[in-house]
Amino acid sequence: DVKVTQSSRYLVKRTGEKVFLECVQDMDHENMFWYRQDPGLGLRLIYFSYDVKMKEKGDIPEGYSVSREKKERFSLILESASTNQTSMYLCASSPIMQVLSNQPQHFGDGTRLSIL
Amino acid sequence: SQQGEEDPQALSIQEGENATMNCSYKTSINNLQWYRQNSGRGLVHLILIRSNEREKHSGRLRVTLDTSKKSSSLLITASRAADTASYFCATGGGYQKVTFGTGTKLQVIP
């Protein structure tokens, strides 16, 4: 069965810290995604990657960076955490997009991050 | 930018009743997907309907798509307490990234 694993379910960090959120998938998927989910705003795409070392900005990339050194691992980095980055972070993966087709995404269980 | 908007935002029904959720979107799409999210968990893909399809079934789920009205509906028949969750539509346009709506929170009362 498909598995996307996020390293922490809950995380508490302080303002100004550098924060790493890790995501690993075991399905050999080419695409990986990072979203944040806030009440009333739904899921918003931060960054995605369609191949190793490749990354594309999503809708809200400011304050974040990503790293994809291996196909199975996609890391989200908060360079200098701020309180407005307190949120639920969701990682997802999907097989490569074919023309005119979006494959279903497989999600991890999320990391609830609190910045104090 | 949000592409899909679900309606209603929240829905409460008795077990055994049918639940209908609607999704409206703004630009042309190649397909539309529905996902479920249980409280505190990630999203789970339910069903995908392509732009050239009008209706699709999967178990107790029935999805319709009206591209002329830019809308879709998800019907859950004979609901169960275990169907309590948030439901999201997601629109995709081929090479475009998938964009999620804000969700409908469904409560099924036993």
Side-chain angles (χ1 to χ4, degrees), chain A residues 31 33 35 48 93-106, chain B residues 28-35 45 47-51 56 90-100:
Chain A
N31 302 318
F33 308 83
Y35 297 90
F48 66 102
S93 72
S94 71
I96 195 164
M97 284 189 288
Q98 299 160 4
V99 175
L100 301 183
S101 172
N102 292 100
Q103 298 296 318
Q105 294 186 18
H106 301 270
Chain B
S28 351
I29 59 171
N30 288 328
N31 62 67
L32 186 143
Q33 303 174 39
W34 284 92
Y35 288 79
H45 181 260
I47 196 164
L48 181 152
I49 186 165
R50 302 192 190 284
S51 59
K56 202 162 181 180
T91 51
Y95 285 123
Q96 297 169 24
K97 58 187 186 295
V98 170
T99 305
F100 289 83

Side-chain angles (χ1 to χ4, degrees), chain B residues 4 12 15 18 23 35-36 43 55 59 64 79 81 85 103 107:
Chain B
S12 184
E15 201 166 29
N18 295 342
C23 170
Y35 288 79
R36 184 189 74 229
L43 278 72
E55 189 170 311
T64 62
S79 63
Q107 182 185 26

